């Protein structure tokens, strides 16, 4: 093996590819040689350009991941366009901030649909197609600090991300023997659209910063190393585990 971390010849499907962590993961994968299928409901043109500027290949699938309807088509598109579908990063996610006492059922369901239900059924379709072809493959679920902690005013988000870390273990137990590695990344507090609201609250932003041993918020590119590791041969015997990329947050 020349380079344990190389993704050359592999195809990665990344959901939520137009911005934030998803965009950073697409760019990192392209740098390491993978073809990228970016799934987003808005245009991923910016990501496509970043990938192509690196000499990589990017294919966009436009899909609203608030229902499972697009799941089959996404995996099919990867096989049809690039001939394989080796890596799946379940990154798309939403957060809705509200006192638990006031959370509306529709908002609760929307968060669970995007952050959990689609993650499961997309993983199922991905595993089914790879197992059918006798191919090894990697699933990476984007978890959160709220896979471990309760959080404040985000009960549906916490429920969904706590479920996703459990799902990561559950799917490992069923699919590891079939050549599918299922792992997770739990980002700490990162500068993306997901945290715009809390970063605009100076007091809350300071409170969070004080708790981060590394003394800074994360940048989207901070998740690149873990994402490459978990997608590459370097992690072939890592399964069912979630790596925190959090500047030390969980160590406190
Ligand atoms: P972000 O910038 O808000 O990105 C979220 C991505 O998910 C966007 O591409 C968004 O598309 C996509 N998305 C949301 N709903 C969708 C839907 N119905 N259909 C298709 N795509 C949808 O935030 P981010 O921080 O990069 O989030 C990426 C992942 O990391 C999420 O799962 C998030 O929970 C997780 N995470 C983030 C942090 C953090 O501090 N930022 C920490 C822990 C975990 P649109 O742009 O069209 O909305």
């Amino acid at each position: 093996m020349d380079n344990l971390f190389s993704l050359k010849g592999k195809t990665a499907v990344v959901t939520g590819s137009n911005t934030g962590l998803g965009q950073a993961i697409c760019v990192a994968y392209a740098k390491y040689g993978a073809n990228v299928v970016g799934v987003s409901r808005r245009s991923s043109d910016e990501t496509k350009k970043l990938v192509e500027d690196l000499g990589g290949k990017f294919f966009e699938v436009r899909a609203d991941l608030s229902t499972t309807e697009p799941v089959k088509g996404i995996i099919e598109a990867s096989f049809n366009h690039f001939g394989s579908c080796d890596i799946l990063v379940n990154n798309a996610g939403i957060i809705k901030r509200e006192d638990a006492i006031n959370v509306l059922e529709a908002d609760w369901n929307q968060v669970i649909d995007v952050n959990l239900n689609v993650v499961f059924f997309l993983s199922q379709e991905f595993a089914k197609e790879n197992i059918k072809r006798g191919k090894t493959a990697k699933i990476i679920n984007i978890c959160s600090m709220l896979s471990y902690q309760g959080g404040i005013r985000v009960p549906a988000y916490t429920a969904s991300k706590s479920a996703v870390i459990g799902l990561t273990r559950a799917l490992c137990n069923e699919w590891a023997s079939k050549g599918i590695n299922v792992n997770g990344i739990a980002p700490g507090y990162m500068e993306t659209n997901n945290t715009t609201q809390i970063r605009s609250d100076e007091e809350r932003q300071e409170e969070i910063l004080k708790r981060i041993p590394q003394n800074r918020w994360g940048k989207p590119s901070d998740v690149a190393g873990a994402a490459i590791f978990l997608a590459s041969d370097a992690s072939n015997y890592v399964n069912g585990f979630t790596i925190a990329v959090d500047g030390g947050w969980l160590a406190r």
Side-chain angles (χ1 to χ4, degrees), residues 3-218:
N3 180 354
L4 270 178
F5 295 90
S6 171
L7 301 177
K8 217 162 184 258
K10 309 233 184 251
T11 302
V13 172
V14 181
T15 66
S17 55
N18 56 304
T19 186
L21 308 187
Q23 180 176 75
I25 292 169
C26 290
V27 170
Y29 283 175
K31 259 188 205 155
Y32 276 67
N35 299 319
V36 180
V37 176
V39 184
S40 61
R41 61 180 162 179
R42 291 186 292 130
S43 161
S44 278
D45 278 356
E46 190 181 282
T47 309
K48 184 172 163 49
K49 182 166 184 332
L50 292 169
V51 165
E52 289 178 349
D53 285 351
L54 290 163
K57 292 198 177 106
F58 186 90
F59 182 70
E60 181 187 74
V61 176
R62 290 290 271 275
D64 180 351
L65 299 176
S66 54
T67 77
T68 56
E69 192 275 326
V71 156
K72 208 173 160 48
I74 292 167
I75 303 301
E76 242 170 42
S78 179
F79 280 107
N80 290 344
H81 197 80
F82 289 121
S84 70
C85 187
D86 311 285
I87 300 153
L88 168 65
V89 183
N90 284 307
N91 166 77
I94 52 172
I95 190 161
K96 287 182 183 278
R97 297 175 198 282
E98 180 57 273
D99 295 339
I101 207 85
N102 294 326
V103 169
L104 300 174
E105 191 173 341
D107 287 338
W108 173 274
N109 287 339
Q110 207 188 343
V111 173
I112 301 295
D113 281 337
V114 177
N115 293 12
L116 177 61
N117 293 341
V118 170
V119 169
F120 174 69
F121 286 102
L122 192 55
S123 301
Q124 184 190 58
E125 186 64 23
F126 172 86
K128 208 184 280 178
E129 290 304 316
N130 277 301
I131 292 167
K132 195 165 86 188
R133 289 168 171 80
K135 294 210 54 194
T136 59
K138 309 256 184 178
I139 296 175
I140 298 156
N141 293 325
I142 303 301
C143 300
S144 165
M145 293 298 97
L146 302 190
S147 300
Y148 308 94
Q149 302 177 311
I152 301 166
R153 302 183 70 244
V154 287
Y157 185 81
T158 304
S160 69
K161 293 296 184 179
S162 298
V164 167
I165 201 170
L167 184 64
T168 301
R169 299 186 189 110
L171 297 182
C172 154
N173 292 340
E174 290 204 41
W175 297 342
S177 63
K178 302 184 191 310
I180 315 281
N181 293 62
V182 189
N183 291 294
I185 295 173
Y189 286 82
M190 318 297 279
E191 291 167 353
T192 68
N193 299 338
N194 174 289
T195 53
T196 306
Q197 211 179 328
I198 42 173
R199 281 183 292 118
S200 65
D201 175 344
E202 231 171 84
E203 203 179 313
R204 182 97 181 88
Q205 206 232 19
E206 263 307 299
E207 245 174 46
I208 289 169
L209 187 60
K210 265 198 258 162
R211 226 209 100 144
I212 303 173
Q214 227 170 308
N215 200 30
R216 68 166 175 86
W217 281 61

